[in-house]
């Protein structure tokens, strides 16, 4: 029994003969080592690429030689075949070599050609965005010019915006205020700018109808802009005396403290109408549900696809995505603003066509003879 | 002049920031950093105005004994206490402001408000899933499939249910989401262009082109 156990243990400890031979062989160094200035960047960066010639290598060592002499700057996993050196100075030439390490062996590749890092003046990977932007700008400007010449432009009905007049009128009849929440975003957010544009139109109507308006703000810059907009709108409506300084006020920058304050405001004041237009996060449902329980007409709008379902559920009217941006044009009916809407529609048409053509090219590129189509598709991808 | 100067600033900043997006050079990156720093500086000034508005709004409410005026006292006391503690004992980690005001007041209050969301979700779901119209019925069916497909019991009812739930999320749901995102992106660019060119002047309180 004992000799049998000894034999069994010995068998378990014996490595296959071919593995022993492989471990003893030194690893092959990486091949095709290439160092180049990282494209489309602000400089101070060199990219290294290489091919692994040997699967035995356990680690790569990366060595940089510059004015200060050779220095191992990094170790890399065997699966990696590129490295970004961001500790270089611009316009100084460096050479690189890479070693394959296995066991006690370190085998260095031939050094790559010397390279210097420089900053670029144009990000070529964004050419596709530039072209798309130029086409879109051209469409918008063309339709604005058409509108200037008096061309009649059709804009489809947006129920949420048609309801603004009714909502303001209802507040006047009921003698209750209107609460306008310009979102929780900063003034740098496009949705907030769109919301402030709508606020101007709503404030004009509020002034004309002699209703009360309450605008609680989360962002101090948005607060100052909103106050000026409302004041200006009252002046334009010929009612500067009706503007109350405390109708536009700053609440807090804390997200949920703001939600609690607006909830409290809605519960106490029982407004006839609530507007929730702009950027919203998790507090959207808290605000909209509280508003719904007070019996107010609620008009909401946001460009956040995650908050839209909550508004659709809890509000009477919801401006979905781009409708928020179209609102000021729709309400003011200014031809120039309506012209830009037309430009947007044609921009969408271009995207639709690009999607159809891109899908067709993607399918065709799977045919080996037509694989060059994948290069065209690469142009449309963002980097 | 009141309108011309802001419009000129917007036009200049808008165009330079657009160009900056395509220029990776350190000068361009430095310009971007400088601009964002200025936004923070302007924000700091605006915070003073915001605090002024806060004090005026709440003190007026207390003075006139408007509905819920006692909440305004709490708000004003909180402002004074936080300011005094912050200025007196600092705002570093381990300070009274961090350990007492932030950890023992602000965090639990925020968490409470966030927790209320669960109840609101239940009431909103009830309202949304009442199959009164074709659209609501469709929403109810989709939600039923997705919810069941995401829990183990769904797979034990019908093996293909998780796959169906995944399909609902990744095909019709994703298609609708992307359609909205396309519209939002174009709308955002068009709005920016209108603001930069001075066509959209709502932010200035309106005005003639």
């Amino acid at each position: 029994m004992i000799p049998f156990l000894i034999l069994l243990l010995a068998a378990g400890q014996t490595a296959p003969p071919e593995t022993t031979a492989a471990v003893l062989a030194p690893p092959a160094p990486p091949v095709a080592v290439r160092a180049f200035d990282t494209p489309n960047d602000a400089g101070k960066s060199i990219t290294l690429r290489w091919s692994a010639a040997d699967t035995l290598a356990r680690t790569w060592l990366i060595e940089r030689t510059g004015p200060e002499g050779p220095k191992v700057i990094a170790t890399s996993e065997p699966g990696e075949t590129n490295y970004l050196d961001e500790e270089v100075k611009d316009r100084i030439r460096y050479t690189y070599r890479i070693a394959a390490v296995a066991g006690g062996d370190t085998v260095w590749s031939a050094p790559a050609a010397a390279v210097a890092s420089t900053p670029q003046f144009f990000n070529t990977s964004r050419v596709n965005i530039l072209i798309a932007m130029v086409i879109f700008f051209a469409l918008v400007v063309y339709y604005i010019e058409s509108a200037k010449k008096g061309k009649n432009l059709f804009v489809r009905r947006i129920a949420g915006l048609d309801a603004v007049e009714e909502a303001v009128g209802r507040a006047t009849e009921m003698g209750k205020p209107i609460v306008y929440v310009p979102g929780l975003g900063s003034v740098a957010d496009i949705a907030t700018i769109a919301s402030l544009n709508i606020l101007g139109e709503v404030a004009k109507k509020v002034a004309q109808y002699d209703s009360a308006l309450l605008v609680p703000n989360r962002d101090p810059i948005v607060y100052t802009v909103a106050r000026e907009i409302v004041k200006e709108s009252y002046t334009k409506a010929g009612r500067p005396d009706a503007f109350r300084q405390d109708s536009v006020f700053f609440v807090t920058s804390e997200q949920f403290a703001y939600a609690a304050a607006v909830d409290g405001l809605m519960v106490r004041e029982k407004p006839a109408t609530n507007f929730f237009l702009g950027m919203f996060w998790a507090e959207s449902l808290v605000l909209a549900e509280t508003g719904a329980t007070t019996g107010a007409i609620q008009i909401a709008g946001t460009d956040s696809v995650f908050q839209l379902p909550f508004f659709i559920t809890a509000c009477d009217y919801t401006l979905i995505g781009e409708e928020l941006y179209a609102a000021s044009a729709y309400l003011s009916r200014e031809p120039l603003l309506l012209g830009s809407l037309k430009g947007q529609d044609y921009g969408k048409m271009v995207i639709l066509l690009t999607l159809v053509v891109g899908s067709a090219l993607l399918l065709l590129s799977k045919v080996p003879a037509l694989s060059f189509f994948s290069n065209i598709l690469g142009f449309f991808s963002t980097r | 002049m009141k309108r011309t100067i802001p419009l000129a600033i917007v036009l200049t900043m808008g165009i330079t920031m657009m160009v900056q997006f395509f220029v990776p050079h350190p000068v361009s990156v430095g310009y971007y950093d400088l601009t964002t720093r200025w936004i923070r500086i302007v924000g700091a000034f605006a915070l003073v105005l915001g605090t002024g508005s806060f004090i005026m709004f709440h003190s007026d409410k207390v003075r006139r004994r408007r509905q819920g005026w006692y909440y305004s006292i709490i708000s004003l006391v909180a402002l004074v206490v936080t300011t005094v503690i912050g200025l007196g004992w600092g705002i570093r980690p381990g300070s009274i402001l961090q350990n007492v005001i932030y950890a023992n007041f602000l965090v639990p209050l925020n968490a409470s408000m966030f927790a209320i969301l669960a109840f609101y979700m239940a009431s909103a779901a009830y309202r949304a899933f009442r199959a009164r119209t074709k659209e609501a019925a469709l929403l109810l069916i989709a939600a039923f499939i997705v919810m069941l497909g995401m829990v183990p019991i769904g797979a034990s009812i019908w093996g293909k249910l998780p796959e169906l739930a995944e399909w609902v999320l990744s095909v019709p749901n994703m298609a609708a989401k992307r359609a909205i995102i396309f519209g939002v992106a174009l709308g955002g660019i068009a709005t920016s262009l209108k603001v930069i060119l001075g066509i959209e002047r709502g932010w200035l309180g309106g005005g003639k082109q």
Side-chain angles (χ1 to χ4, degrees):
Chain A
M1 185 65 184
I2 291 167
F4 176 71
L5 279 172
I6 292 168
L7 271 173
L8 201 66
L9 282 169
Q13 284 170 351
T14 308
E18 61 274 16
T19 314
T20 312
V23 167
L24 292 173
V31 291
V33 179
R34 202 160 64 91
F36 56 92
D37 178 22
T38 307
N40 306 315
D41 71 344
K44 296 187 173 65
S45 168
I46 289 172
T47 303
L48 271 99
R49 283 202 185 133
W50 63 90
S51 297
D54 199 333
T55 52
L56 290 176
R58 293 286 168 264
T59 313
W60 305 122
L61 289 182
I62 298 158
E63 185 192 78
R64 179 181 65 210
T65 306
E68 71 276 14
K71 184 185 173 189
V72 173
I73 53 166
T75 55
S76 210
E77 294 293 314
E80 308 237 340
T81 52
N82 59 63
Y83 178 76
L84 194 66
D85 184 5
E86 291 181 304
E87 289 172 3
V88 292
K89 288 178 184 158
D90 283 340
R91 294 178 189 86
I92 291 174
R93 294 180 78 76
Y94 295 92
T95 55
Y96 292 86
R97 58 179 191 155
I98 296 165
V101 181
D105 295 311
T106 303
V107 186
W108 289 97
S109 69
V115 65
S117 159
T118 50
Q120 276 78 52
F121 283 97
F122 183 70
N123 190 341
T124 51
S125 67
R126 289 180 177 172
V127 167
N128 50 3
I129 299 173
L130 182 66
I131 292 171
M133 221 169 82
V134 168
I135 292 171
F136 184 60
F137 279 16
L139 282 170
V140 171
V141 171
Y142 171 76
Y143 281 100
I144 287 172
E145 288 303 316
S146 299
K148 268 187 190 170
K149 287 172 190 160
K151 193 176 173 184
N152 192 27
L153 299 169
F154 168 76
V155 178
R156 71 174 168 88
R157 269 195 69 225
I158 301 175
L161 296 174
D162 285 339
V164 170
E165 191 97 24
E166 176 204 336
V168 177
R170 183 177 185 255
T172 315
E173 281 170 18
M174 292 173 77
K176 288 182 172 178
I178 291 166
V179 171
Y180 189 103
V181 179
L184 278 81
S186 76
V187 82
D189 299 313
I190 302 284
T192 309
I193 295 173
S195 177
L196 291 172
N197 288 333
I198 303 167
L199 173 64
E201 297 299 325
V202 171
K204 254 186 242 168
K205 289 192 197 307
V206 168
Q208 283 159 4
Y209 281 84
D210 199 19
S211 298
L213 179 69
L214 295 169
V215 188
N217 290 279
R218 186 211 181 187
D219 186 280
I221 302 180
V222 174
Y223 152 69
T224 47
V225 177
R227 195 183 57 180
E228 288 308 308
I229 286 173
V230 174
K231 199 173 164 183
E232 187 74 23
S233 296
Y234 271 77
T235 309
K236 282 190 140 185
R239 303 282 322 277
D241 53 305
F243 173 69
R244 279 174 45 201
Q245 286 285 347
D246 61 352
S247 62
V248 185
F249 52 96
F250 172 73
V251 179
T252 171
S253 299
E254 277 292 321
Q255 180 191 13
F256 285 109
Y258 176 82
V262 176
D263 276 3
L265 181 79
M266 288 189 290
V267 170
R268 281 192 300 274
E269 301 284 342
K270 298 270 184 302
T273 307
N274 293 326
F275 287 94
F276 305 113
L277 301 168
M279 282 197 86
F280 292 88
W281 286 270
E283 73 295 330
S284 64
L285 189 61
V286 175
L287 296 173
E289 272 293 293
T290 309
T293 57
T294 62
I297 280 191
Q298 302 206 105
I299 301 173
T302 182
D303 57 3
S304 165
V305 284
F306 300 104
Q307 306 310 325
L308 276 170
F310 296 132
F311 279 145
I312 290 168
T313 306
C315 297
D316 300 286
Y317 302 98
T318 306
L319 304 178
I320 298 171
E322 62 186 314
E323 288 177 347
L324 178 68
Y325 302 122
S328 68
Y330 191 92
L331 291 172
S332 66
R333 292 278 158 186
E334 282 183 33
L336 296 190
L337 296 176
L338 290 175
S340 71
L341 288 187
K342 211 70 184 168
Q344 267 171 254
D345 283 349
Y346 280 96
K348 270 188 281 182
M349 189 78 88
V350 171
I351 287 184
L352 197 67
L353 281 174
T354 312
L355 283 175
V356 172
V357 173
S359 305
L361 289 181
L362 187 66
L363 285 173
L364 290 172
S365 68
K366 300 296 171 196
V367 179
L370 301 171
S371 59
F372 61 91
F373 280 136
S374 58
N375 298 330
I376 302 171
L377 287 168
F379 177 75
F380 289 99
S381 64
T382 51
R383 280 148 281 177
Chain B
M1 193 60 97
K2 195 185 162 193
R3 286 179 187 280
T4 313
I5 291 174
L7 286 171
I9 293 171
V10 166
L11 181 70
T12 313
M13 292 305 292
I15 290 172
T16 50
M17 290 307 279
M18 238 190 296
V19 172
Q20 191 281 328
F21 179 75
F22 296 101
V23 180
H25 196 274
V27 174
S28 161
V29 176
Y31 173 71
Y32 179 80
D33 291 342
L34 182 76
T35 314
T36 46
R37 266 206 302 276
W38 267 99
I39 291 172
R40 282 202 293 272
I41 293 165
V42 172
F45 280 109
L47 194 61
V48 175
L49 291 174
T51 312
S53 158
F54 180 90
I55 294 166
M56 276 174 62
F57 180 81
H58 287 288
S59 50
D60 186 61
K61 210 167 155 186
V62 173
R63 205 169 43 243
R64 292 172 195 267
R65 293 286 191 276
R66 284 198 195 141
Q67 196 185 2
W69 60 272
Y70 31 85
Y71 296 122
S72 291
I73 294 180
I74 297 171
S75 302
L76 288 168
V77 169
L79 175 74
V80 173
V81 170
T82 311
T83 310
V84 169
I85 291 176
L87 290 173
W89 287 272
I91 57 166
R92 288 198 181 88
S95 62
I96 302 173
L97 193 83
Q98 288 276 340
N99 286 355
V100 180
I101 306 280
Y102 184 74
N104 293 333
F105 283 92
L106 209 57
V107 171
L109 284 169
N110 274 335
S112 306
M113 277 305 291
F114 193 50
I116 289 172
L117 200 59
F119 299 101
Y120 283 129
M121 268 186 185
S123 67
Y126 170 72
R127 194 173 314 125
F129 296 157
R130 279 180 300 175
R132 288 185 305 189
T133 60
K134 270 188 292 180
E135 289 84 2
L138 202 64
L139 186 69
L140 177 65
I141 295 165
F144 190 71
I145 292 168
V146 171
M147 283 194 281
L148 267 184
M150 293 287 153
V151 289
I153 199 169
S156 53
I157 293 169
W158 184 40
K160 295 269 182 195
L161 208 56
E163 254 177 69
L164 186 62
E166 192 55 44
W167 180 84
V168 169
L169 283 177
S170 57
V171 181
N173 172 60
M174 187 58 80
K177 248 186 186 175
R178 284 183 180 162
I180 293 171
I181 291 167
F182 279 136
V184 165
L186 290 180
I189 298 169
T191 305
S192 310
L193 186 66
K194 284 184 281 182
V195 172
I196 290 168
L197 297 179
I199 295 164
E200 177 75 83
R201 298 179 183 193
W203 58 278
L204 272 174
K208 290 211 179 301
Q209 275 71 41

